[in-house]
Amino acid sequence: MLALTSVWTTVLLAAAVALGPLATDMYLPALPSMGVAMAAGTDQVQLTLSIYMAGFALAQLLCGPLADRFGRKPVMIAGFVLFAIASVGCALASNIETLILCRFLQAIGGSAGPVLGRAAIRDIYTPREAARIMALLASIMALAPALAPTLGGLMLNQLGWPSIFIALAGYAMVMTLIVAIGIPEPMAPENRQPLKLCSLIANYRTIGSDISFIGYTLTNALTFSGLFAFLSGSSFVLIEFLGVAPELFGLYFGFMVLGYISGNLTSVRLSKNLMPDQILLRGLVISVAGGSLMAALAMMEVFNVWAVVVPQAIVMIGVGMVLPQTMAGALANFPRMAGSASALFGFVQMAVAATIGAMVGYLHDGTSLVMAVIIAASAVAALAAYLLLVQRHPATGFEPAAEPGR
């Protein structure tokens, strides 16, 4: 097996964590076609995305404590197997109700990758090192959503939308073997927590009452919601409203992912000279600028592909800078409960994003306006959460303003 601190371990963890984004990004070009095939409305089809996020959020609350008790690897392997089975169910679904149910089950299995990937990084590295490693991991991981929509569009045209879910099932089984054979168990035996309801409640109460955890988590969730608003609305805006061919959707989506990768790499580079809070603030300001530009263009009825893609790429530069810092900051105070902290962090992130995604579908007016306004509002709310909470209550050992021994 590989050494825990090996670069290849980070690459394999990124591949495992990428299963979650793949399950959302790969089938985006197929959403309009799936609606036609199943005689379902836009709001029903977008519900397959929001229900995935809701299931993802709920499952993490159990996934984290299980991993704190039994270790990261067994829970991750079990999750991948469930994901593969549910993906086959999605491919075989003949109506929107069955697809929604299978997407929910897919989310329960898929939650294991991201929540345990974050926890594993916290197991292996210090809080400051974890921020840098998470940014590197996110850069590697971003290759998946950069390629996934293009691949999904090609598969849609050549093989039909069920083939996308069969491919996801295959990926999950490959990752099951890789995790089982290639990655050591990162959790130290002495850090294992008892799996008792009273202990579980006590752990979540401890984590949820930590003001710095709340600040980092809300900042992250609101930032991620802007990204998810784009994921939820982009295929309908670009394909249905602006006339982009499904097979070309991934190319425009990839432009946005390049912004995200740029933000990740910028975060890594700036970490040599700046503190995490300085990187966070810069990223949030960039996201607000990009979101505001998209909303302003939509309000002026400037409706074309680049009026959506370019501002979103700017938003994603900021997102790429913000997410790694907030992930590391949220887990910094909980080395012995990293699984539970990662689970609660992920629950809030996904619950807020699912709500925002449902709003995009419910309020969609056939143009880019609703999506653009929600992206801008999410970025402004994230900046407010940072200024009101994170700046005043930084995590111990992560930000210089934290009081020693807190």
Side-chain angles (χ1 to χ4, degrees):
M1 286 192 177
L2 297 169
L4 283 174
T5 54
S6 164
V7 65
W8 285 109
T9 298
T10 301
V11 171
L12 292 179
L13 284 174
V17 173
L19 187 64
L22 277 174
T24 57
D25 299 339
M26 196 167 179
Y27 89 130
L28 289 179
L31 288 178
S33 298
M34 289 165 65
V36 173
M38 296 186 176
T42 298
D43 56 338
Q44 289 179 300
V45 177
Q46 284 183 319
L47 188 57
T48 65
L49 198 57
S50 293
I51 201 69
Y52 181 87
M53 288 301 181
F56 210 93
L58 292 170
Q60 291 184 77
L61 292 178
L62 183 59
C63 180
L66 284 172
D68 281 344
R69 172 63 182 87
F70 298 107
R72 314 306 185 203
K73 283 183 61 173
V75 179
M76 190 179 288
I77 290 169
F80 288 165
V81 171
L82 176 58
F83 180 96
I85 294 171
S87 296
V88 173
C90 290
L92 298 176
S94 59
N95 55 68
I96 195 68
E97 292 79 13
T98 302
L99 181 61
I100 289 172
L101 174 60
C102 289
R103 284 286 288 172
F104 183 78
L105 295 175
Q106 192 185 42
I108 293 175
S111 68
V115 68
L116 301 184
R118 288 191 299 263
I121 294 298
R122 182 61 186 92
D123 291 333
I124 300 167
Y125 298 98
T126 66
R128 291 290 306 281
E129 291 172 336
R132 179 176 59 85
I133 296 299
M134 284 183 181
L136 286 172
L137 184 145
S139 298
I140 299 168
M141 224 178 94
L143 294 174
L147 299 174
T150 300
L151 180 59
L154 292 173
M155 293 179 72
L156 171 67
N157 280 347
Q158 298 298 320
L159 302 170
W161 65 263
S163 65
I164 296 172
F165 292 103
I166 295 297
L168 288 171
Y171 183 89
M173 293 311 299
V174 169
M175 289 313 306
T176 299
L177 293 175
I178 289 175
V179 170
I181 297 171
I183 300 178
E185 173 58 56
M187 185 183 186
E190 63 270 17
N191 285 342
R192 298 201 174 192
Q193 300 289 313
L195 190 62
K196 298 179 181 178
L197 182 59
C198 57
S199 298
L200 180 59
I201 294 172
N203 286 350
Y204 277 137
R205 184 185 298 119
T206 299
I207 297 165
S209 61
D210 186 280
I211 300 299
S212 68
F213 174 85
I214 294 171
Y216 288 109
T217 300
L218 281 180
T219 303
N220 179 285
L222 291 165
T223 300
F224 184 78
S225 292
L227 163 60
F228 190 69
F230 180 78
L231 294 178
S232 184
S234 60
S235 59
F236 293 96
V237 169
L238 294 179
I239 295 174
E240 287 194 343
F241 176 54
L242 297 175
V244 172
E247 62 270 23
L248 297 179
F249 173 82
L251 297 178
Y252 292 107
F253 194 86
F255 188 75
M256 179 270 293
V257 174
L258 284 177
Y260 180 66
I261 294 174
S262 298
N264 290 149
L265 296 178
T266 299
S267 177
V268 174
R269 186 167 59 252
L270 291 178
S271 66
K272 298 176 183 178
N273 301 309
L274 299 179
M275 297 303 293
D277 66 315
Q278 296 172 307
I279 300 172
L280 259 176
L281 182 57
R282 284 164 171 75
L284 288 165
V285 170
I286 291 171
S287 290
V288 169
S292 299
L293 175 61
M294 189 192 301
L297 289 172
M299 289 177 182
M300 291 186 292
E301 299 185 354
V302 179
F303 294 134
N304 61 65
V305 171
W306 296 111
V308 173
V309 173
V310 171
Q312 183 63 22
I314 295 171
V315 170
M316 294 307 296
I317 293 172
V319 171
M321 296 171 67
V322 170
L323 295 190
Q325 311 303 321
T326 50
M327 288 178 192
L331 272 59
N333 289 348
F334 305 101
R336 295 181 60 84
M337 293 184 285
S340 296
S342 180
L344 187 57
F345 171 90
F347 170 78
V348 175
Q349 181 194 60
M350 295 300 175
V352 174
T355 302
I356 295 298
M359 286 176 58
V360 172
Y362 181 75
L363 299 174
H364 181 58
D365 65 349
T367 73
S368 60
L369 179 61
V370 169
M371 183 184 75
V373 169
I374 289 177
I375 289 171
S378 297
V380 171
L383 178 59
Y386 167 79
L387 294 173
L388 295 174
L389 294 172
V390 174
Q391 264 198 345
R392 299 181 183 181
H393 303 279
T396 303
F398 188 62
E399 304 283 10
E403 297 176 7
R406 174 171 168 251

